[in-house]
Amino acid sequence: MKVVSTSRSHGGIQGVYSHVSEVCACDMTFAVFVPPQAKDRPLPVVWYLSGLTCTHANVMDKGEYRRLASELGLVVVCPDTSPRGPDVPDEKDNWQFGCGAGFYLDATQEPYTKNYRMYSYIAEELPALVAANFPVDMSRQAIFGHSMGGHGALTIALQNPERFKSCSAFAPIVQPSTAGWSRPAFEKYLGPDEKSWRTYDATLLIEDGRRFAEFLVDQGTADGFLEEGLRPWLLEEACKKARIDLTLNMREGYDHSYNFISTFMDDHLRWHARRLG
């Protein structure tokens, strides 16, 4: 692991790091905020997964999480959204696919199988690296994210309910297997057999019997992607049938931007902190 940069913030350290990922077969970059309480004891970990076109830097620069994370004693880990590099296959003119659009899944179709393994990266490789290098209590983990990252947070939590104490999302893509802006990516990454897509679709994972204790979702009513890509009512219906507690806040007048996310970031961090003890 290499240190790209560190700076002091709210008594803690905001760092950016890189490493050679065996899972993604390329260099990967991620950010970690370590609050001041870490000098005394290991702290709980909150994972934040970013959305389409983003890197670790979007939430780090615009998410406004450090002040409260420092107050609550939460380590915040912000991974990248996909593999990157000159040898990583990409569609440079397609913001919904390739670099910046890994969809937190493990691709099964060539030429994407070598690099696009973001599910395994987030669920296995990066947690092991974080546990080995930072003062964290891995028995207390939470996960949340925005848009594509909200999709990732929901599906990873549903597949690993024993690992995470809590899960929330800002404007998540709740059913990517049918959404217009994610369905083409699923076919390229996973192939034409839609049965294999169910592993990476929150509503279908719930339909297939996966369970998580509860979810918190915030969604802006002025979000331009609400009707076509996000459709939180589908998650609401799935959770109701499965008797999963869902708090769905429809935020009047808010859009899809980090102005929306930063407004409600404190609510999510406090929600996770209560469940992390």
Side-chain angles (χ1 to χ4, degrees):
M1 189 181 76
K2 298 179 180 178
V3 178
V4 177
S5 66
T6 60
S7 59
R8 183 164 291 278
S9 179
H10 296 283
I13 299 294
Q14 176 66 70
V16 178
Y17 309 90
S18 68
H19 71 111
V20 178
S21 168
E22 294 183 6
V23 167
C24 295
C26 65
D27 290 347
M28 295 292 287
T29 302
F30 63 99
V32 181
F33 176 70
V34 178
Q37 298 91 326
K39 67 180 183 295
D40 299 320
R41 63 188 185 277
L43 298 177
V45 185
V46 181
W47 298 83
Y48 179 90
L49 307 184
S50 292
L52 286 163
T53 75
C54 293
T55 70
H56 67 282
N58 293 75
V59 68
M60 190 180 77
D61 294 342
K62 297 182 286 187
E64 300 181 18
Y65 59 84
R66 281 175 289 267
R67 178 194 58 79
L68 190 58
S70 182
E71 176 186 321
L72 297 173
L74 300 174
V75 173
V76 181
V77 181
C78 307
D80 202 347
T81 54
S82 70
R84 299 178 192 271
D87 298 325
V88 175
D90 187 22
E91 292 184 4
K92 296 186 183 300
D93 296 328
N94 183 1
W95 63 275
Q96 297 171 332
F97 184 76
C99 293
F103 277 97
Y104 302 100
L105 51 76
D106 285 352
T108 59
Q109 302 299 299
E110 297 295 345
Y112 309 109
T113 54
K114 178 181 178 181
N115 304 109
Y116 287 86
R117 301 183 61 209
M118 288 301 295
Y119 173 81
S120 291
Y121 179 70
I122 300 297
E124 299 169 11
E125 186 178 36
L126 189 55
L129 188 69
V130 168
N133 289 278
F134 297 91
V136 292
D137 179 357
M138 297 299 278
S139 70
R140 294 188 291 165
Q141 297 185 66
I143 190 167
F144 70 145
H146 169 231
S147 193
M148 180 185 71
H151 139 74
L154 293 171
T155 55
I156 292 172
L158 283 163
Q159 293 189 64
N160 301 273
E162 71 292 339
R163 173 181 162 190
F164 297 103
K165 301 290 186 183
S166 55
C167 175
S168 71
F170 298 102
I173 307 172
V174 305
Q175 196 175 87
S177 64
T178 62
W181 65 346
S182 50
R183 183 178 172 84
F186 269 45
E187 185 164 8
K188 292 176 185 177
Y189 286 135
L190 302 173
D193 183 3
E194 296 186 20
K195 291 180 181 178
S196 66
W197 302 9
R198 301 180 73 89
T199 304
Y200 305 108
D201 185 306
T203 62
L204 300 183
L205 281 167
I206 293 171
E207 184 178 304
D208 290 344
R210 296 282 187 164
R211 295 292 180 266
F212 199 79
E214 57 180 334
F215 297 117
L216 167 65
V217 172
D218 274 278
Q219 171 66 61
T221 62
D223 191 321
F225 303 113
L226 179 59
E227 297 291 334
E228 177 190 359
L230 307 175
R231 304 172 296 168
W233 50 86
L234 297 179
L235 180 65
E236 187 174 36
E237 180 181 344
C239 286
K240 185 177 181 180
K241 288 181 180 179
R243 298 183 179 179
I244 296 173
D245 290 336
L246 168 65
T247 300
L248 174 59
N249 299 314
M250 298 300 296
R251 303 297 189 177
E252 187 65 32
Y254 283 90
D255 59 18
H256 201 69
S257 72
Y258 268 90
N259 294 324
F260 159 61
I261 296 168
S262 62
T263 300
F264 301 104
M265 178 63 77
D266 282 9
D267 293 351
H268 283 244
L269 289 176
R270 292 189 187 281
W271 192 82
H272 288 297
R274 289 194 295 270
R275 285 150 182 82
L276 291 168

